[in-house]
Structure formats: C-alpha cells, structure tokens
Amino acid sequence: MAADSPILEVDGLTLAFGGVLALNGVSFPVAPGSITSVIGPNGAGKTSLFNAISGFYRPRGGSVRVEGRAIDRLHPPERARLGLARTFQNIALFRGMTVLDNIKLGRHAHMRTGLLDALFYFGRARREEMELRREVEERIIDFLEIDHIRKAPVGSLSYGLQKRVELARALAMRPRVLMLDEPVAGMNREETEDMARFILDVREEWGVTVLMVEHDMGMVMDISDHVVVLNFGQVIAQGLPRDVQANPEVIAAYLGSGNVDDLRRRFAADARKVA
Amino acid sequence: MRIASAKESYAADEALFDSAVQRRWFAALLAALVLFPFAADQYWAFLACLAAINVIAATGLNILTGYTGLVSLGQAAFMGVGAYTVALLENRLGTPFFVNLPLAGLAAAAAGTVFGLPSLRVKGLYLAIATIAASFILHFVFANWDSVTNGVRGITVPPATLAGIALDTPFKLYWVIMPVAVLMLLGAANLFRTRVGRAFIAIRDRDISAEVLGIPLLRWKLTSFALASFYAGVAGGLWAYFFRVVTPESFPLILSIFFLAAIIVGGMGTILGGILGAVFMTLVPEVLKLLVGAVAPVWPDAVVLLSPVRTVVFGALIVGFLIFEPQGLAEMWRRTRRAFHLWPFRT
C-alpha cells in the first residue's frame, strides 16, 4: 500500500486564527483504499484540519493535493465535486427535510438539472431524479439498513440514526475520500460496533478511502491502517496503529508522561496560575 | 382509516399527488375553479382574480423566504417592475399578453437578481432592510423616470386581448389569471422534487454545510431571488391587466409586508401555505365586510360602528395565528388530514 501514490495528501498545512496557530505544518499522506485516522486531545486541531481540507477555512500556508493535484484554490462545492465527501462532528443534517431528501441532497454536485427542467419536472429533471432515487434506495438505504425511516423527518431520529443518515448522505456524494468527523462520538458500544462495521463495509464494497477523526481509541486501533496523531496543531507521530500506541510522545500527550515528579510540577504550576 | 399506500415503482412514490384519492380531489378542485366564474357574480370574480394574483406573488416570496430562508421586503417592488413592463409593452409595442407576461417576469427577475446580491453577505433582518432599499429605489425610479413611466401620473394599460376579444371584465380575465396561477403553482411544487428545491432548503437550514456538500451558495441564492422576482413580475403583469392603470403608488412597501404576512399566516416553506395565506389575507377583510353588511338591516348603526372594528378583527386574527399556529394554516390543514387518515383512532 505504501507504494501507491496517495489519493489525498496534506502538505505543510498551516492555519492561524489571529495569533493562534491551529495547524502548524501538518503533513501526512492518505493511501488509496486505506482507513486513515487522525487522533489527538481536544483542541489539537483535528476539526480545523477537516475544515481546511474541505475548503471551509483558508490556510495560511501549505497545500492539499487530491491525486497529485493541488486543490487550494478550489471553493468547497468544487472540492465536494472532486469526491471529498464529509460528515460533521455536530451532525449537520437539514432538519426541514426527510431522510430521503437529505441523502439525495448529497448528489447535488453531480446532477445537472437546471431551473427550467425543475419547474416542469420534465426530461432531464425526471430522468435524473429517478436514477438518483433508484441508486439511493438500492445502494445506500438498503446497505445502511435505514429503509424504515426514509420518509421520517430527520429531527425525529435518535442520535445514532442521524449519524448513519449523515454517512448515507456522504455516500450519495460519490465520495473518493470519505471524511468522517467523529463518526461514533456519543454512541454506546453496540452502535459503535455497527458504525465500525459500516465503515469497513463501505471501504470493501465502494472502494472508498476513509479519513476519520475519532476519539474512540478502541475503534481507531481496530480498523485503521494509518494513524496520525495531532497535538497543538502539529503532527507528533504517525504510522501503524500499534507503533503509534507504543510511541512515548503520544502516551505523554494523552496520559501525561507517567513521571510523578513531572505531574507534581505541573500541578504546582497550575495552582500558581490560578492564584 | 388509511391502512397503507402500496406503491410499485419509484416514480409512483415520487409523484406530486401520490394517491388516487389525492388525484381525484385535485381534479375536483380544478373542476370547481372552472365552474366558479359561472356561479359567481362580478364581485366574486373580481375577488377570485385578485386572490389568484396575490397567490402567485406570495408563492414567489415563499420560495425565497419560506424555502430558501432569505427574508425579503421587496416583493411588491418587483411586482411593480412586472406591471410597468406590461404597461410599456402594451402601449409602445402592442405585443399580445402571452408574450408580455413572461417578459414582465424576466424583467422582474433581472431586477431581483441585482437586488439579491446583498444576500450573499447578509441574512435575516439585515437582508430584510437591504431589500427595503429595493422598494425605495424602484419607487423612486417609477416616480421620476418621466419619459418611460410617465411619473406620478402613471400609465393606463389597454385590456389584454385574445382572438380579438378584449378581456376587460374580471369574468373574462379570470380565464387568463387562474390558469397562469395554477401552472405557476405546479411549477413551484415540481421544484421541490428536484435538486434545485433541495438546494434551496439546504441553504435555509444550514448554508455553511450546504456549501461543503457541494452547493454553490452564490448561484442558488441568486437563482432563488430571480425566481421569486419572476413570480412577482408575472403577478404584477396580471395586476396591470386587471386594474388597467399602473402608478408608483400601486406597489407600496406595505404590499410587500402583506405578502410576508400572507406566507407567515399560511405556512412558510409549504406550497399550500402560500395559497392559503394569500387567499386568507385577500378574502378575510371582504368576508368581514359582508358580515357587517349582513347585520346592517337589524342594526342600522352597524356600518358606522363596526367598520373600524373590522380592521382590528383582521389584525387580531393574524396575531392569533402567530400565537396558536406558528406553522400556519397549512399545518392546520395537515393535522386535519392526518386526523381523517387515522380515524377512528387519535394521535
């Protein structure tokens, strides 16, 4: 897999809000067909990284390349068209629409229906809508096991189901890189396992590359091929899950150094700061 | 009670009217609309035409404000653009109405696109204020561009003619206004079965994530403005043929507020809401007038005493709706339907 050129490549990405560096020279490759996970403590810059990749933030420096082509000058909708599909940490479903319409919305960038076709619902509009409905039903709704809620308004669904509908919408975007922002946050064990299974199946069945941000270490270590660890906007380690897990710097970032004297000094410093 | 509605194809499931019962009711409604002018007198034909014109304009605003979430107080001004376009075309070129009406819509759409530009930067109340500017600027143009608009004196519009017949009464004009209204409503309903309508709703619900999901905001916000203004322009064109004189005072800011009130009372973001709201707002004052007239024989002072109260009752009805049914008349209709579907069970 390492021999393949990366489908997505983040190169020296630097993002600043005022004087705060949210991302500082972040670089990593995403191999085609891999599941790459970005982990790190809260505030490490994981979601900022996602937002910079999908074009929502303008980075100060560095570059994002999709199959070798720099996409830094592209607007978010154009990046979506290239196949960067994503879900959001705090679920961004459209509450005024049904599950089915939310999923269909994902295909927007790949459809050509214009205003006139739409008003008459004739020719291209009808053809495109019918093709889309069939594909959404047979490939996505069926696959994610959400056929019982297709006509439900999204607001009425449980959190776990909403996450699944978001995944469905991202699949409707014809993704090449599926970016999942905390796909199992707030889920119980069973829902987490379901989601992990869906992610693995998506890769198998659709041949999609997955890039995800996740806090659930169990799941990250189980299903990832490549793990990138961010802390204070910098990559402090990356590699195979087991190598990252053993990396002392990662353990320090997550758990502290394990050195009791060091901990005492930090508490003392904190106490002085508070006083 | 309705047990289930089995569908055998995706096309059947995506249809505008998805059950045989619904299709029959719609056919009955169309038949009623055809028979109506023969049963009604001039006064009710007049009201029906006015209501249909208001329904078109309100539906346009509903696409923009109810579905796309862009508050506009310029709808009446864009109606004015349509009305003046028709007046000018009739007087200077004498083109037939079926050419003039689409052109009126296009002229208004062009104006709407220009005045919609601020929507790319501002939302909500700020956008509402920005669109008031449209009202004032267009009013200024109507009143002061003497060589074209004839200033405050306005323009007299000759009646629309079809096959040599002058459509100069509400009864005759009804046959133009009502079909146009029905077609434009069907068009609006179709819109929300396609990606265009979904893009509008996505922009209303969360414009930022809509963009990340592949929806260019610039294009679709301006499309929404253009379309809403097109509806206003056609409504304005019909208005010109209906009242036969167009002046700068015909399309005041209060009329824009009237349309906004109509879609709020009717139900924002539903096609039915635009219809019910506009009909309600047009007819209720008239119905109240009739009621006052009805008690006049037994209580001679009624007209003097109750006429001012009429306005108060109208206002109270609107406030009552906002408080007790914020989703509007369309939601009441939906609840009633559901009750029938579930009968004899209750929700």
Side-chain angles (χ1 to χ4, degrees):
Chain A
M1 199 166 281
D4 292 347
S5 62
I7 186 165
L8 176 75
E9 198 176 9
V10 177
D11 184 10
L13 210 59
T14 299
L15 178 71
F17 298 114
V20 182
L21 277 179
L23 298 175
N24 189 0
V26 172
S27 302
F28 63 88
V30 178
S34 71
I35 295 181
T36 302
S37 295
V38 179
I39 63 172
N42 285 325
K46 304 183 296 294
T47 295
S48 298
L49 171 69
F50 262 38
N51 283 339
I53 295 175
S54 48
F56 181 54
Y57 292 152
R58 295 266 133 176
R60 175 183 288 182
S63 180
V64 178
R65 287 190 287 272
V66 173
E67 290 177 333
R69 176 190 166 197
I71 59 166
D72 304 290
R73 301 181 65 82
L74 297 186
H75 293 293
E78 295 162 319
R79 298 187 191 202
R81 229 176 119 90
L82 273 184
L84 291 183
R86 71 173 284 190
T87 67
F88 297 82
Q89 187 177 354
N90 48 352
I91 305 184
L93 291 171
F94 302 100
R95 303 183 72 83
M97 286 190 254
T98 61
V99 168
L100 192 57
D101 278 340
N102 264 284
I103 300 172
K104 283 177 176 176
L105 184 100
R107 184 55 58 86
H108 183 93
H110 296 287
M111 298 175 80
R112 299 175 43 83
T113 299
L115 190 57
L116 275 182
D117 307 323
L119 285 169
F120 295 106
Y121 197 71
F122 199 72
R124 183 160 58 196
R126 177 186 298 265
R127 200 174 56 243
E128 274 191 344
E129 288 300 322
M130 284 304 128
E131 272 170 25
L132 174 60
R133 176 73 192 269
R134 176 175 299 273
E135 193 186 323
V136 165
E137 288 286 347
E138 290 169 8
R139 286 199 71 195
I140 300 175
I141 289 186
D142 210 36
F143 173 71
L144 291 175
E145 298 160 21
I146 47 178
D147 32 342
H148 56 297
I149 52 162
R150 61 162 80 79
K151 291 281 175 73
V154 288
S156 67
L157 302 178
S158 72
Y159 181 79
L161 275 179
Q162 290 197 16
K163 283 272 186 194
R164 215 186 291 174
V165 174
E166 245 205 331
L167 176 61
R169 184 177 63 189
L171 287 179
M173 293 174 75
R174 289 201 178 132
R176 286 154 83 198
V177 180
L178 189 60
M179 298 165 60
L180 307 173
D181 198 347
E182 303 207 6
V184 302
M187 286 190 181
N188 64 29
R189 197 69 243 164
E190 197 186 335
E191 288 171 324
T192 302
E193 279 167 11
D194 278 347
M195 186 55 89
R197 178 167 58 84
F198 284 130
I199 293 171
L200 287 170
D201 285 353
V202 162
R203 176 175 61 166
E204 289 307 316
E205 201 159 308
W206 297 59
V208 173
T209 307
V210 178
L211 172 65
M212 71 175 176
V213 162
E214 187 45 65
H215 277 297
D216 187 315
M217 281 310 131
M219 180 172 114
V220 168
M221 297 305 165
D222 279 351
I223 70 172
S224 306
D225 302 305
H226 188 81
V227 177
V228 179
V229 189
L230 278 186
N231 196 18
F232 297 112
Q234 285 179 301
V235 177
I236 58 172
Q238 57 178 312
L240 292 173
R242 61 169 177 279
D243 299 341
V244 167
Q245 242 169 335
N247 185 314
E249 227 183 315
V250 175
I251 297 172
Y254 265 91
L255 304 173
S257 60
N259 180 333
V260 180
D261 290 331
D262 185 44
L263 201 60
R264 283 215 185 90
R265 270 197 300 281
R266 257 177 54 200
F267 279 145
D270 284 351
R272 269 200 303 282
K273 242 187 275 170
V274 171
Chain B
M1 179 175 177
R2 189 161 75 169
I3 307 296
S5 53
K7 313 249 174 46
E8 291 179 344
S9 70
Y10 296 130
D13 197 40
E14 297 265 340
L16 209 48
F17 300 100
D18 67 349
S19 73
V21 181
Q22 252 183 333
R23 277 192 292 276
R24 258 174 255 146
W25 277 112
F26 183 64
L29 175 69
L30 286 184
L33 286 177
V34 170
L35 295 176
F36 172 82
F38 299 107
D41 56 15
Q42 287 287 329
Y43 173 68
W44 282 99
F46 171 89
L47 283 182
C49 289
L50 189 59
I53 291 172
N54 286 340
V55 164
I56 297 173
T59 299
L61 185 64
N62 209 353
I63 291 173
L64 181 63
T65 302
Y67 280 107
T68 321
L70 303 170
V71 185
S72 164
L73 284 171
Q75 195 71 351
F78 301 132
M79 238 178 122
V81 173
Y84 272 103
T85 308
V86 159
L88 288 171
L89 288 170
E90 275 290 343
N91 280 309
R92 305 222 167 153
L93 301 176
T95 41
F97 73 88
F98 49 82
V99 174
N100 296 348
L101 285 176
L103 287 177
L106 290 178
T113 311
V114 172
F115 286 105
L117 284 170
S119 72
L120 306 174
R121 285 280 164 195
V122 295
K123 287 194 271 200
L125 272 181
Y126 300 90
L127 180 61
I129 300 298
T131 54
I132 288 182
S135 254
F136 285 118
I137 292 171
L138 288 171
H139 181 270
F140 182 83
V141 171
F142 297 153
N144 291 291
W145 196 8
D146 273 356
S147 58
V148 173
T149 64
N150 202 19
V152 290
R153 289 180 304 283
I155 309 177
T156 315
V157 184
T161 52
L162 182 61
I165 306 167
L167 307 175
D168 52 0
T169 63
F171 175 82
K172 290 178 190 157
L173 209 48
Y174 180 91
W175 302 105
V176 174
I177 295 177
M178 197 51 84
V180 169
V182 170
L183 283 179
M184 292 185 81
L185 285 169
L186 286 175
N190 276 336
L191 205 60
F192 295 95
R193 304 159 75 191
T194 68
R195 75 159 188 160
V196 179
R198 288 193 297 268
F200 288 169
I201 299 175
I203 290 171
R204 175 191 71 192
D205 286 357
R206 278 167 186 270
D207 53 354
I208 289 166
S209 30
E211 202 176 15
V212 174
L213 292 168
I215 295 167
L217 298 185
L218 172 86
R219 175 174 172 194
W220 294 112
K221 279 184 175 178
L222 289 183
T223 302
S224 186
F225 256 101
L227 190 62
S229 310
F230 182 86
Y231 275 64
V234 172
L238 292 169
W239 195 98
Y241 282 125
F242 190 58
F243 288 103
R244 307 268 303 283
V245 60
V246 181
T247 71
E249 303 313 318
S250 307
F251 306 98
L253 184 59
I254 189 83
L255 189 60
S256 291
I257 297 173
F258 172 91
F259 292 129
L260 199 58
I263 62 169
I264 292 173
V265 167
M268 296 220 281
T270 58
I271 296 297
L272 189 63
I275 304 172
L276 294 179
V279 170
F280 179 92
M281 293 285 289
T282 315
L283 294 188
V284 165
E286 301 297 326
V287 170
L288 291 175
K289 209 189 282 177
L290 284 183
L291 287 180
V292 171
V295 295
V298 281
W299 183 20
D301 294 339
V303 177
V304 181
L305 289 174
L306 290 184
S307 288
V309 179
R310 225 174 56 210
T311 333
V312 177
V313 172
F314 183 43
L317 276 174
I318 295 178
V319 174
F321 266 115
L322 293 183
I323 295 173
F324 296 109
E325 192 49 272
Q327 313 277 7
L329 291 162
E331 178 62 24
M332 288 173 72
W333 171 257
R334 227 164 54 91
R335 264 212 312 268
T336 316
R337 271 186 59 192
R338 201 164 50 220
F340 276 105
H341 287 164
L342 286 174
W343 188 88
F345 302 107
R346 290 156 184 244
T347 36

